[in-house]
Amino acid sequence: MNSIITVRDLKKAFPSQGKIVEAVRGVNLEVFEQEIFGFLGPNGAGKTTTLRMLTTLLPVDSGEAMVAGYNVSIHPKEVRKRIGYVSQQGGGDKNATGREDLILQGQLYGMRKAEAIKAADRVIELLALEACIDRFVATYSGGQQRRLDIALGIMHAPQILFLDEPTTGLDPQNRANVWHQIKQLKNAGMSVFITSHYLDEVDFLADRLAIMDQGKIVEVGTPKELKQNITGDVISIVVHKEQEKQAIHLLTAQPFIKEVVKEDACLRLYVAQGDVSLAHTLRLLHNEGITIHSINMSVPTLDDVFLKKTGRALREESN
């Protein structure tokens, strides 16, 4: 597969309170053509800084970033011609119709009006905007607004589209609709780079994903690969608060438990055979007189992967 993004030892630092803070500390990354690539990271991990460098919105301190065949530091204008970028805020004029916004966007990219009208028709059909496109954008629902934002980002038919938190604030039905439209973009031959706090979103959409923490990439792979790396099942237990330390000491010593991770009031046990281990765990805690408030078993999720790699759950970071 051919690469659409290649990043080598990318670094960025900022002055803060009289000292230098390294926001991005040697990132290496590769994204392939016609791939949906997910980008996850806790607040302050350097995720947004990396995204801004890749989209030429922030200068690179050192290292190299190639996007759509061009170096972002040497040929930023060529990069901009070949990428689309949709921020969390969006970019449409709410006092114009969706069609007027699209045509203006095309003209800003140098299209003649007739060419922009034709391109607008193409993205209106692709993103199923026919029902609302000739209304003022101020009247759009959240889902319609987000689909228009994406349409604005692809008016010039970019090779790669960067989506920053594309479904934040949408209800489940509109989120699912936007997911479908993003899949359609991939099917049409576009590469998509998506940041999201919704783990189910990345799990569903991404062909591969990267987890970033403390300025570095800590894991890259398909959602299935990353979940399989944990191996086994996850038992989640909430015990009486005053007995937590006793429970952790007891459970950590058991050979059938690979790892015990404390997350707020919950203890997560990583085990090979969940059904057998669940029975053993209940028996152990009962015999020691430890009060169990709740217990359940599940297969590993991306949140388990994130927790294991960064020491915290992404759902907390998004609050």
Side-chain angles (χ1 to χ4, degrees), residues 1-8 29-37 66-70 159-160 186 189-192 207-208:
M1 291 185 286
N2 296 324
S3 299
I4 191 78
I5 298 175
T6 303
V7 177
R8 296 287 179 265
L29 195 62
E30 190 166 27
V31 178
F32 301 117
E33 291 180 344
Q34 204 171 339
E35 166 177 67
I36 299 177
F37 190 87
M66 302 291 294
V67 176
Y70 290 88
Q159 292 175 247
I160 181 166
K186 177 196 169 178
M190 192 174 295
S191 304
V192 182
D207 298 300
R208 291 187 308 127

Side-chain angles (χ1 to χ4, degrees), residues 86-97:
V86 179
S87 70
Q88 293 185 47
Q89 289 76 29
D93 181 354
K94 294 186 183 299
N95 295 317
T97 68

Side-chain angles (χ1 to χ4, degrees), residues 191-204:
S191 304
V192 182
F193 189 105
I194 176 173
T195 69
S196 177
H197 273 121
Y198 295 122
L199 292 163
D200 58 337
E201 181 164 87
V202 174
D203 202 354
F204 177 77

Side-chain angles (χ1 to χ4, degrees), residues 217-237:
I217 303 295
V218 297
E219 197 71 46
V220 178
T222 68
K224 183 178 179 180
E225 287 170 348
L226 297 188
K227 286 182 282 187
Q228 285 178 338
N229 284 346
I230 288 182
T231 67
D233 300 315
V234 181
I235 298 173
S236 300
I237 306 174

Side-chain angles (χ1 to χ4, degrees), residues 139-312:
T139 69
Y140 282 21
S141 68
Q144 291 168 338
Q145 175 69 66
R146 211 57 184 137
R147 280 185 284 142
L148 177 64
D149 291 337
I150 295 172
L152 290 166
I154 64 172
M155 264 296 289
H156 57 301
Q159 292 175 247
I160 181 166
L161 177 65
F162 291 88
L163 297 174
D164 189 11
E165 304 286 350
T167 64
T168 296
L170 297 185
D171 61 62
Q173 183 177 355
N174 276 314
R175 284 180 66 209
N177 196 348
V178 172
W179 290 358
H180 173 72
Q181 308 303 334
I182 292 171
K183 286 277 193 181
Q184 291 292 97
L185 295 178
K186 177 196 169 178
N187 294 338
M190 192 174 295
S191 304
V192 182
F193 189 105
I194 176 173
T195 69
S196 177
H197 273 121
Y198 295 122
L199 292 163
D200 58 337
E201 181 164 87
V202 174
D203 202 354
F204 177 77
L205 287 174
D207 298 300
R208 291 187 308 127
L209 64 100
I211 295 174
M212 189 173 190
D213 192 34
Q214 297 181 358
K216 291 190 173 185
I217 303 295
V218 297
E219 197 71 46
V220 178
T222 68
K224 183 178 179 180
E225 287 170 348
L226 297 188
K227 286 182 282 187
Q228 285 178 338
N229 284 346
I230 288 182
T231 67
D233 300 315
V234 181
I235 298 173
S236 300
I237 306 174
V238 177
V239 301
H240 189 65
K241 186 173 180 60
E242 294 180 357
Q243 296 176 307
E244 275 186 358
K245 289 184 179 180
Q246 180 188 358
I248 292 171
H249 179 75
L250 174 67
L251 296 170
T252 302
Q254 303 307 313
F256 66 90
I257 298 175
K258 297 181 179 181
E259 188 175 2
V260 179
V261 176
K262 185 179 184 304
E263 182 196 346
D264 291 335
C266 181
L267 303 180
R268 292 192 183 217
L269 319 181
Y270 295 93
V271 299
Q273 292 179 287
D275 51 352
V276 176
S277 299
L278 183 62
H280 287 335
T281 300
L282 284 168
R283 193 178 304 115
L284 276 168
L285 295 174
H286 176 74
N287 290 342
E288 291 294 321
I290 296 173
T291 302
I292 300 172
H293 293 309
S294 68
I295 185 167
N296 66 73
M297 184 187 72
S298 62
V299 297
T301 66
L302 281 182
D303 198 40
D304 293 306
V305 175
F306 196 89
L307 177 65
K308 197 165 185 182
K309 293 297 177 181
T310 69
R312 49 203 181 277

Side-chain angles (χ1 to χ4, degrees), residues 58-87:
L58 200 61
V60 173
D61 282 356
S62 65
E64 181 181 71
M66 302 291 294
V67 176
Y70 290 88
N71 188 303
V72 299
S73 299
I74 300 173
H75 299 111
K77 289 184 179 179
E78 295 300 325
V79 171
R80 290 175 199 138
K81 291 177 185 176
R82 291 162 176 81
I83 67 171
Y85 174 63
V86 179
S87 70

